[in-house]
Amino acid sequence: KILILDFGSQYTQLIARRLRELGVYCEIHPCTAKAEAIRAFRPRGVVLSGGPASVLAEGSPRCDRVVFELGVPVLGICYGLQVFAAELGGRVDQAAHREFGPATIEVKATSPLFQGLPATLDVWMSHGDRVEALPPGFEPIAATASAPYAAVEDRARRFYGVQFHPEVVHTPRGKDVLRNFAYGVCGCSGTWSMRGYAEAAVEQIRAQVKDGHVICALSGGVDSAVAALLVHRAIGDRLRCIFVDNGVLRAGERQQVEDVFGAMFHLPLVTVDASRRFLGALAGVTDPERKRKIIGHEFIAVFEQEVERLAAHGARAKFLVQGTLYPDVIESVSFRGPSATIKSHHNVGGLPEKMNLSLVEPLRELFKDEVRQLGLELGLPEAIVRRQPFPGPGLAIRVLGEVTEERLAVLRRADTIVQEEVRAAGLYEKLWQGFAVLLPVRSVGVMGDERTYESTCAIRAVESTDGMTGDWARLPYDLLARLSSRIINEVRGINRVVYDISSKPPATIEWE
Ligand code: XMP
């Protein structure tokens, strides 16, 4: 396995993704990791990420020098290369002209890092400083017209540094460079797979839970589903899954959860119909943050009640399963620190402390696409595995203005049409999300010879890789036309359909 030390680059996660795609297990730790932690990880190789700082600046981030004393290969990327130079006796200076964007490098094919690659490579550069003098033992293995040290090596100590970013798609052969490092230089075998992961996770869950009881808030999404299946595999019916029908689900959603997890997988599943309670609490509320808070609050209350009920039947849970993914973990240990809250996200946060529950987080090491792979491995149907994300506060944040049964029913019908047509057009998996939003705006229309004065439906379709940023999807006009005509014709209460052409940022994906 490979240890990635993060110096705060926006690309650090990509390094991990590429290595994992190569079947190499890796973890990201902050560059401030202590020597003992680094040793205890027992890496076969270390990658030093890029970062926004300048090694010339006072107090700029460094890693513990133990990294250079482990006797394992080290690859420094961009800032990571400069850390080499600064720490091992080279010299870094501000470059006369900064290099941002595409560049072409001439490489020395005899270096293990560039084995099997052509003599010239297109790469992506993004740096202000550059290495002016190499530390003792290092030699250049690639250069651009303006930078003599685009890549360097100390073959004896197996230290490598690249000024460009092999992890981004703008370096087309970058993955081969990482492969050469991981397989060729570090001797990793590329056998990390989801099957192995599942077995190890099951063992780990057993060791953690022992003879305890575990509860899981099943949402119907892929993360909680995969987490629940793993725990079920590990401890059987000492797992209890709770699915809360909060009244703001989409059409058919509850049925699907019961069919898949109850009937098909035989998970011990309790459905709690709490729609009255949620809708009652939401009555008259129009402020988005208040809606979110209310739903979060009600959810915790309902969940707690259910857990108490189970406990009264002799199954007091000590553990809570959570589908935490690796990006969340990285976010909270990130060298850059967690980012600002734009919307208060609904999850089971707050529950563990309140109810004195320990967390079981079997997906902590995985990226979303790996969770999907694992889901397929465990036999989950495509419909769940490929499901687009659906927010915890559900349709309540897509019914703008007051949330009522009637308006929810209107939105459900429109949304079902969006789902059907997007799938029929073969675009469901290409979109991060595609859904309908019901606006609190009425406008005048004419149907037959009648004047209408009804609601507006907005369609939101977004392409994104992680939901953090995204662009509105260029849906074909034909599809938009079908959506508009079907929604207006089939959904009573809507007489106008508009298409949302805002990207994120500055807009967000959901409207509230
Ligand atoms: P925004 O609207 O902030 O959403 O651009 C980014 C992604 O997160 C989803 N989302 C949520 N997911 N609980 C969730 O589990 C929430 O409260 C929540 N709010 C938004 C949203 O659907 C999009 O994929």
Side-chain angles (χ1 to χ4, degrees), residues 292 342-347 389-393 397-398 432-433 435 466-468 504 507-512:
R292 285 176 170 273
I342 309 294
K343 301 177 181 180
S344 43
H345 266 219
H346 165 78
N347 51 31
F390 183 65
I397 54 167
R398 295 182 183 171
W432 172 260
Q433 273 168 311
F435 55 86
D466 53 12
M468 306 286 283
K504 172 183 181 173
T508 53
I509 296 174
E510 304 288 344
W511 278 43
E512 290 191 342

Side-chain angles (χ1 to χ4, degrees), residues 175-414:
K175 195 162 164 181
D176 297 310
V177 174
L178 291 174
R179 177 187 287 112
N180 282 341
F181 178 71
Y183 293 6
V185 179
C186 301
C188 295
S189 55
T191 49
W192 149 261
S193 74
M194 283 307 115
R195 182 165 312 166
Y197 187 88
E199 283 163 17
V202 163
E203 283 311 311
Q204 212 175 339
I205 294 165
R206 284 189 187 134
Q208 184 190 358
V209 170
K210 302 199 178 72
D211 58 359
H213 290 268
V214 183
I215 44 167
C216 171
L218 211 54
S219 71
V222 61
D223 304 339
S224 65
V226 172
L229 287 182
L230 280 175
V231 174
H232 192 238
R233 207 176 251 207
I235 62 163
D237 288 359
R238 273 183 291 124
L239 168 72
R240 285 300 154 95
C241 297
I242 300 172
F243 176 69
V244 177
D245 182 347
N246 55 13
V248 287
L249 301 172
R250 289 167 297 184
E253 200 151 10
R254 174 172 166 179
Q255 193 61 46
Q256 188 191 35
V257 166
E258 289 177 345
D259 288 349
V260 172
F261 300 105
M264 190 172 155
F265 281 95
H266 306 293
L267 289 188
L269 173 67
V270 188
T271 305
V272 187
D273 187 344
S275 36
R276 282 257 178 76
R277 173 174 188 157
F278 278 83
L279 294 182
L282 286 168
V285 177
T286 56
D287 178 69
E289 272 303 286
R290 267 199 71 208
K291 287 183 186 174
R292 285 176 170 273
K293 292 265 161 62
I294 288 171
I295 291 175
H297 180 86
E298 291 302 313
F299 179 84
I300 288 183
V302 169
F303 195 76
E304 202 172 5
Q305 226 172 43
E306 196 51 37
V307 173
E308 281 308 318
R309 210 182 54 81
L310 289 174
H313 287 81
R316 171 154 305 277
K318 281 212 226 89
F319 299 90
L320 174 73
V321 186
Q322 229 169 38
T324 316
L325 302 191
Y326 198 40
D328 309 326
V329 177
I330 301 172
E331 173 88 351
S332 60
V333 302
S334 164
F335 184 61
R336 278 174 294 165
S339 38
T341 306
I342 309 294
K343 301 177 181 180
S344 43
H345 266 219
H346 165 78
N347 51 31
V348 278
L351 259 183
E353 298 81 32
K354 190 150 181 262
M355 302 186 59
N356 202 13
L357 293 166
S358 309
L359 289 179
V360 179
E361 298 179 301
L363 311 179
R364 270 180 78 85
E365 274 100 46
L366 301 183
F367 288 107
K368 190 86 180 183
D369 51 329
E370 293 175 320
V371 174
R372 295 211 164 100
Q373 238 174 296
L374 179 55
L376 291 175
E377 187 77 40
L378 295 172
L380 269 184
E382 292 269 346
I384 299 273
V385 170
R386 306 270 170 229
R387 204 180 88 141
Q388 292 174 354
F390 183 65
L395 298 182
I397 54 167
R398 295 182 183 171
V399 169
L400 274 55
E402 193 183 354
V403 183
T404 61
E405 293 268 21
E406 298 72 45
R407 300 191 72 216
L408 282 168
V410 171
L411 178 59
R412 275 195 193 102
R413 275 185 226 117

